[in-house]
Amino acid sequence: MAFTLYSLIQTAILCTNAIAVLHEERFLSKIGWAADQGIGGFGDEPGVKAQLLNLIRSVRTVMRVPLIIVNSVCIVLLLLFG
Amino acid sequence: MDFSAHSGFRQRKLPPKMRMRTTSTDSTEPSPLFEDTSAGPGAAGYGRGQDKGPAGYPAQTLLSDPMSNLAMAYGSSLASQGKEMVDKNLDRFIPISKLKYYFAVDTIYVGKKLGLLVFPYMHENWEVSYQQDTPVAPRFDINAPDLYIPVMGFITYVLVAGLALGTQNRFTPESLGMQASSALVWLIIEVLATLLSLYLITVNTDLTTIDLVAFSGYKYVGMIVGVVAGLLFGRTGYYLSLLWCCVSIFVFMIRTLRLKILSEAAAEGVLVRGAKNQLRMYLTMSIAAAQPIFMYWLTFHLVR
């Protein structure tokens, strides 16, 4: 397996993009994964599913702007250098 | 002036300087991770042991001259200011003080830890000892994770991989870099996957990211043993030693992680019911099981 650090960066960008394009209303509510549905009370055991939904929502909120920048840089670099 | 007065003066002058230097280095860190052997009793012993008379004169005139005193004081204050600034700015990006803890090892610790990695079956007490709420430095506690063995193991693995490729006439300088970056990428992936699963299962541990890097880096020792055995004894030697090292690393990881991830009751052997502990047990098992898989994956192409 010939992995380079560059392929790791590519993988990270692709995965983050994949999480970022999951739309809240159109998709996540349809399958019951919206961020406000799963969380029960304020008990001490959030559970795996609630943590996952929390993670998806926070990744989408936090990484939106940096992803725009990183994707633009990637597009420009790939156009210039192939 | 008689010599005894001079020698008395010099003896009185040297120890306060020594004490000043050691206390200034001790005040920056709470407990010294490394012994300060720079100033040390060697200087005082040397001074006291030598002939005190003629050697004392020019040193005293130099030290007693007020201008040179001023210059020395100013120079040392400037140097310490610069050092503080560099340390403060560097500490913002790379937590150097935390990293220093992981490299506070000595030869005895490294030897014992390597033996523990290959033969963890006789060791009874796997708990990390604490000293007033901070973990003890690795040189005092064999159960504490360190970064010295993983870093050295990684470098040695890359070199041994180059050696193995060379004996099969498959060596090019680029392949060395490819081996290094492949192993590094798999390490990063493993640490990220462990972090993600620790987050999802809401485990309250004091395992830091660097701890996870250290634990994931311990498998390089087994990989090196396997590849060297494969070079010396052929494929059967490789498979046998790799099997031994895989089982040892599996047991080592389970016994170490059990105390950190599982809650107190389960760690003592009492089987606590509940989905929470079951999930944590599965997580420990899968982290431990991933080590042999990676060990085989990263070395099987080196031994033909």
Side-chain angles (χ1 to χ4, degrees):
Chain A
M1 275 281 183
F3 276 143
T4 59
L5 282 175
Y6 177 64
S7 64
L8 184 69
I9 297 177
Q10 270 185 326
T11 315
I13 293 180
L14 284 176
C15 282
T16 326
N17 274 332
I19 297 183
V21 299
L22 299 173
H23 194 275
E24 191 79 37
E25 292 175 4
R26 292 182 202 158
F27 175 67
L28 292 179
S29 327
K30 300 290 172 54
I31 58 174
W33 274 26
D36 307 328
Q37 292 178 3
I39 303 174
F42 287 100
D44 53 347
E45 292 301 322
V48 178
K49 185 174 168 192
Q51 287 286 95
L52 196 57
L53 300 185
N54 225 355
L55 184 67
I56 291 179
R57 189 170 60 130
S58 40
V59 164
R60 290 185 61 241
T61 321
V62 168
M63 297 297 286
R64 187 160 290 175
V65 173
L67 266 183
I68 296 176
I69 301 175
V70 169
N71 281 335
S72 325
V73 166
C74 256
I75 291 174
V76 168
L77 282 179
L78 282 175
L79 278 178
L80 287 179
F81 300 118
Chain B
M1 305 182 184
D2 47 75
F3 286 177
S4 60
H6 268 288
S7 61
F9 191 138
R10 272 189 80 244
Q11 280 178 7
R12 247 179 289 131
K13 206 164 170 69
L14 278 177
K17 264 198 144 133
M18 244 173 41
R19 237 175 279 129
M20 198 171 58
R21 232 175 288 159
T22 50
T23 48
S24 67
T25 53
D26 273 348
S27 60
T28 52
E29 39 200 351
S31 65
L33 287 172
F34 300 98
E35 288 130 10
D36 183 16
T37 53
S38 61
Y46 175 84
R48 249 180 261 132
Q50 285 294 87
D51 194 2
K52 304 171 189 91
Y57 274 101
Q60 284 199 356
T61 51
L62 186 61
L63 289 171
S64 58
D65 184 17
M67 276 312 291
S68 62
N69 259 346
L70 257 182
M72 255 178 21
Y74 185 60
S76 63
S77 82
L78 263 187
S80 63
Q81 262 182 18
K83 183 168 154 11
E84 265 178 42
M85 214 162 52
V86 166
D87 278 343
K88 198 167 50 155
N89 282 330
L90 193 56
D91 208 17
R92 241 184 272 162
F93 299 117
I94 315 172
I96 294 238
S97 42
K98 278 191 227 151
L99 275 182
K100 264 196 208 172
Y101 160 80
Y102 289 97
F103 284 101
V105 295
D106 59 350
T107 326
I108 303 178
Y109 169 84
V110 172
K112 279 196 200 163
K113 192 84 180 196
L114 287 178
L116 200 64
L117 282 170
V118 178
F119 197 77
Y121 308 106
M122 305 291 289
H123 191 71
E124 287 111 14
N125 182 26
W126 292 84
E127 284 190 8
V128 181
S129 42
Y130 285 87
Q131 178 205 27
Q132 297 159 355
D133 218 20
T134 60
V136 178
R139 59 165 52 181
F140 301 121
D141 175 28
I142 193 180
N143 293 318
D146 70 312
L147 274 182
Y148 176 79
I149 292 181
V151 168
M152 292 296 143
F154 180 74
I155 297 175
T156 314
Y157 161 74
V158 174
L159 294 175
V160 166
L163 182 69
L165 287 177
T167 53
Q168 299 159 24
N169 291 328
R170 283 192 293 152
F171 179 78
T172 65
E174 292 90 24
S175 65
L176 212 60
M178 284 308 295
Q179 290 291 326
S181 58
S182 290
L184 195 64
V185 163
W186 280 116
L187 181 75
I188 294 177
I189 289 179
E190 183 183 349
V191 170
L192 285 179
T194 314
L195 275 175
L196 180 70
S197 36
L198 277 176
Y199 171 75
L200 285 181
I201 305 190
T202 61
V203 176
N204 291 326
T205 75
D206 52 351
L207 275 179
T208 64
T209 315
I210 309 186
D211 277 342
L212 288 177
V213 172
F215 286 135
S216 304
Y218 280 145
K219 62 170 162 317
Y220 291 124
V221 177
M223 288 184 345
I224 294 168
V225 169
V227 176
V228 168
L231 284 176
L232 292 175
F233 302 118
R235 299 205 81 182
T236 37
Y238 166 69
Y239 281 127
L240 285 176
S241 53
L242 197 70
L243 191 65
W244 175 269
C245 290
C246 283
V247 174
S248 317
I249 275 277
F250 186 72
V251 170
F252 176 85
M253 291 298 285
I254 288 209
R255 287 201 182 159
T256 311
L257 288 179
R258 197 174 56 159
L259 290 173
K260 300 236 165 193
I261 296 185
L262 292 178
S263 56
E264 305 305 319
E268 288 165 15
V270 178
L271 285 175
V272 180
R273 303 283 308 159
K276 179 177 71 142
N277 277 323
Q278 209 180 19
L279 266 181
R280 292 184 183 185
M281 196 62 204
Y282 282 154
L283 175 67
T284 318
M285 302 281 292
S286 44
I287 294 178
Q291 309 290 317
I293 297 179
F294 279 122
M295 282 169 69
Y296 180 69
W297 185 261
L298 286 171
T299 51
F300 79 98
H301 57 276
L302 294 174
V303 179
R304 287 280 170 82

